[in-house]
Amino acid sequence: MLDRFGIDVTKLPSMTAKAPERVLILDADGAAYRAAATVKTLPTALRRFCTEVLEQMFLTNSTEARLHLTAEGGFKGGRGRYPSFRPYQHNRSNKAKPALLEPLRLLLSTERAVDMGLPEEWYVNLHHYWEADDGCTMDSLYFGERSVVVSDDKDLRLVRGPYWEATRGAISRIQDSFGYIAEHPNNGTYPIGHGTKYFWLQMLMGDTADGIRGLDRLDGKLCGKVTAMQYLEDVTDENECANKVLWAYARSGQDALAEAQVLWMRRFERDCAFTYLNELEFDKPLKDWVQQLNQYHVEYNDAKDAELCADMP
């Protein structure tokens, strides 16, 4: 059907066509912290939390929200059980938290939150076994391209699915799981990136937020973000990257698998860094070394469990 300008209006998109549905996958610990930080009552904290989620839904043009939180005293995917260079999140033990933070997290996981104003269609998961980051990673894998992950933490830059790049105010998509790394556009304190290449960058430079050292020495020199970026900037293949980083760990004599286990975000319930590493192609000496490290971790944790049982009354 042609209109008076000779345009076939049947080929035009409908003005009432429904926008594509997008699922916001939010690492909601940051939102909960901010909502609880400067208020005196739980209802006010809940309203502020809901406002921030709605803002993130607006920015990402999302129609659904899946919110992941980490429970206080949770298992955190067992990260604290590995003999990493420094104990996992050792730097958080003496830090004061907002008084309403834990009450808000607990409230969000109950039906009472809906009675107090939380939209009933929002999915909320307060993780006791995993961390919120793990839940977001699993959701990203499940919902794929129709989702977007939003997080304050750089850990979730390793996801394969769409990721909200706050530095550009846009959704980042990558062609393969390896992705990219880049300098922060505003001369920030950490590089940006998306995909498993960012995981390997963290294996070198660590993650100060979680007290993770990463590689302590790269061929005798302290390994920070600048050194790590220079070491990986020209690498375009995931297997090459993994071999390059693990050889650096081997030369330093540091337990690479322990650092990987605390940094890796779980893609499914029985996933871990050892599972991911077994999917890659390594030089034979490295492959044997990783297998030996895994066996050492099994024996290490068995010994810790036996010691714990012996101390029980």
Side-chain angles (χ1 to χ4, degrees):
M1 178 189 301
L2 301 181
D3 68 1
R4 63 193 178 93
F5 299 106
I7 298 174
D8 186 352
V9 295
T10 63
K11 304 256 189 210
L12 296 176
S14 171
M15 295 297 290
T16 59
K18 189 176 180 181
E21 293 185 354
R22 177 172 293 133
V23 181
L24 168 69
I25 300 170
L26 180 64
D27 172 9
D29 283 328
Y33 189 99
R34 286 185 290 273
T38 58
V39 299
K40 296 181 179 179
T41 68
L42 199 53
T44 304
L46 179 62
R47 286 197 299 271
R48 290 198 175 185
F49 177 84
C50 291
T51 297
E52 180 161 338
V53 175
L54 288 169
E55 288 174 350
Q56 294 294 347
M57 292 181 72
F58 174 78
L59 288 172
T60 59
N61 194 25
S62 298
T63 56
E64 301 177 43
R66 294 180 65 84
L67 316 176
H68 295 271
L69 298 150
T70 307
E72 184 178 32
F75 188 58
K76 297 187 176 183
R79 290 176 174 86
R81 293 171 60 85
Y82 293 100
S84 50
F85 191 85
R86 294 170 182 161
Y88 182 60
Q89 294 185 344
H90 69 95
N91 54 333
R92 299 189 182 187
S93 57
N94 296 320
K95 288 187 177 180
K97 296 179 180 179
L100 289 175
L101 177 58
E102 297 311 324
L104 176 59
R105 282 174 169 158
L106 291 172
L107 172 64
L108 287 165
S109 66
T110 67
E111 293 183 1
R112 182 167 169 252
V114 175
D115 297 335
M116 294 173 63
L118 184 81
E120 62 181 347
E121 65 270 19
W122 289 0
Y123 168 87
V124 180
N125 193 333
L126 180 63
H127 294 275
H128 292 270
Y129 187 86
W130 305 112
E131 291 191 64
D133 292 351
D134 297 313
C136 290
T137 304
M138 294 178 197
D139 265 3
S140 178
L141 185 64
Y142 180 81
F143 288 98
E145 288 301 311
R146 78 179 190 95
S147 68
V148 57
V149 169
V150 176
S151 175
D152 295 336
D153 295 337
K154 49 188 175 293
D155 301 344
L156 279 164
R157 290 180 173 277
L158 65 76
V159 296
R160 173 65 182 87
Y163 173 85
W164 177 249
E165 183 53 79
T167 60
R168 295 188 292 109
I171 295 176
S172 170
R173 291 180 171 84
I174 50 180
Q175 296 300 313
D176 56 48
S177 61
F178 187 52
Y180 70 94
I181 56 174
E183 294 288 351
H184 195 287
N186 299 324
N187 298 317
T189 57
Y190 62 88
I192 62 172
H194 183 186
T196 53
K197 189 171 185 179
Y198 201 86
F199 163 76
W200 289 108
L201 178 68
Q202 284 189 295
M203 281 287 289
L204 294 175
M205 69 179 185
D207 182 356
T208 55
D210 286 329
I212 300 171
R213 176 64 191 97
L215 181 63
D216 188 52
R217 293 287 191 279
L218 179 57
D219 297 328
K221 298 180 181 179
L222 282 172
C223 188
K225 63 170 186 173
V226 174
T227 302
M229 283 289 293
Q230 291 173 347
Y231 193 68
L232 295 183
E233 60 184 353
D234 295 329
V235 181
T236 59
D237 178 79
E238 187 166 16
N239 290 315
E240 177 190 352
C241 187
N243 277 273
K244 191 170 184 178
V245 172
L246 289 187
W247 273 123
Y249 267 87
R251 291 194 299 271
S252 72
Q254 189 178 335
D255 186 336
L257 183 57
E259 299 299 309
Q261 292 286 25
V262 295
L263 282 165
W264 182 249
M265 299 294 108
R266 278 53 171 167
R267 300 164 296 179
F268 43 86
E269 289 191 354
R270 298 190 66 82
D271 189 31
C272 67
F274 182 63
T275 302
Y276 165 63
L277 294 182
N278 277 326
E279 296 168 4
L280 303 177
E281 296 178 4
F282 288 118
D283 296 336
K284 179 72 165 57
L286 287 179
K287 190 173 184 66
D288 293 343
W289 182 49
V290 169
Q291 296 290 332
Q292 291 166 7
L293 286 174
N294 185 62
Q295 183 59 38
Y296 160 58
H297 292 172
V298 171
E299 295 172 1
Y300 174 84
N301 281 308
D302 284 348
K304 287 178 63 177
D305 291 341
E307 181 179 349
L308 179 63
C309 290
D311 290 340
M312 294 177 64

